[in-house]
Structures are given as structure tokens and as C-alpha cells.
Amino acid sequence: MSRSERSSLLLAGLLATAGVAHFASPKQFEATIPRTLPGSPRTWTYASGVLELALAAGIAAPRTRRTAALAAAGFFIGVFPANVQMALDWRDRPAPQKAAAYGRLPLQIPLVLWARSVAKNGEGRS
């Protein structure tokens, strides 16, 4: 298995794991949904989980990899406000939790770059 194939499957696995987690433990994700969004946090949590599972499937399949990886890069950018909301909400939590919340913010950059790299190397081949 090539390095780019491994990278693609690892990204798909990360997204699939996150997607399943949205259904297995929705309350932890609901707390990060910006209050300015319409509708219930549970709906946004489940929608996000479904999208992550769809992106994972798309990245895992060579034919749809490029498009799905570009969509994943956009998704990682799109969920950034939820990570900011979590950091703001956790300002008064114990230091380890606060560090985790703030540590997630710069993590979005390598995730976006990783997804773009997978898109570049996965030219939609079958």
C-alpha cells in the first residue's frame, strides 16, 4: 500500500471515528454547537456525524476521494466556530480541559492541509 493510500485511509478512519462518536456520545458535541445556529444542537450534532461518515466513505473510495477530501477540508474549516465556542465555554474549567479546548483550535490547520494533500494525491482514480 502506498503512502498516499495509507494517508487517505487514515483520514477516512479519523472521520469515521468522529462520525460514530457523534451518535455514541452526542451530548459532548452538543455543547460545542454555537448558540447562534437555528434548530436544536442535537440535530446539528447528528447532521455533523452523518456528514463525517459520508466524507469518510468518499475518501475511502478512490473514485470519489479527491472530491470528498476537498469537501473534508471545507468541513474542517466549517466546524472551526464550534471549536471556538468550546474554548470560550471551557475558559473556567480545570487546566487540562481548558488546554484541550484551546489546543483544538490550531489543530484545524493540519487537518485542512491533510485533507488537501489527500485530494491532491487522490485524483479521482478508479
Side-chain angles (χ1 to χ4, degrees):
M1 178 182 304
S2 72
R3 183 175 186 207
S4 65
E5 181 75 11
R6 237 182 346 266
S7 179
S8 298
L9 294 178
L10 285 171
L11 180 59
L14 173 81
L15 284 161
T17 300
V20 169
H22 278 72
F23 291 94
S25 185
K27 286 184 182 182
Q28 76 178 26
F29 294 98
E30 289 172 15
T32 69
I33 303 298
R35 292 178 277 289
T36 56
L37 290 175
S40 78
R42 180 66 55 104
T43 300
W44 285 102
T45 296
Y46 286 160
S48 178
V50 166
L51 184 54
E52 286 171 321
L53 291 170
L55 290 170
I59 290 169
R63 279 186 191 206
T64 56
R65 181 169 295 149
R66 183 177 188 281
T67 301
L70 288 173
F75 175 79
F76 292 138
I77 293 167
V79 299
F80 187 73
N83 293 342
V84 170
Q85 183 68 55
M86 181 179 179
L88 292 172
D89 289 346
W90 286 24
R91 285 179 297 211
D92 298 325
R93 297 252 179 131
Q97 290 178 333
K98 191 179 345 182
Y102 282 100
R104 288 179 68 174
L105 299 178
L107 182 61
Q108 294 305 111
I109 295 167
L111 287 173
V112 170
L113 295 175
W114 185 12
R116 286 184 57 204
S117 172
V118 166
K120 180 181 172 190
N121 293 320
E123 298 291 327
R125 291 171 255 151
S126 54

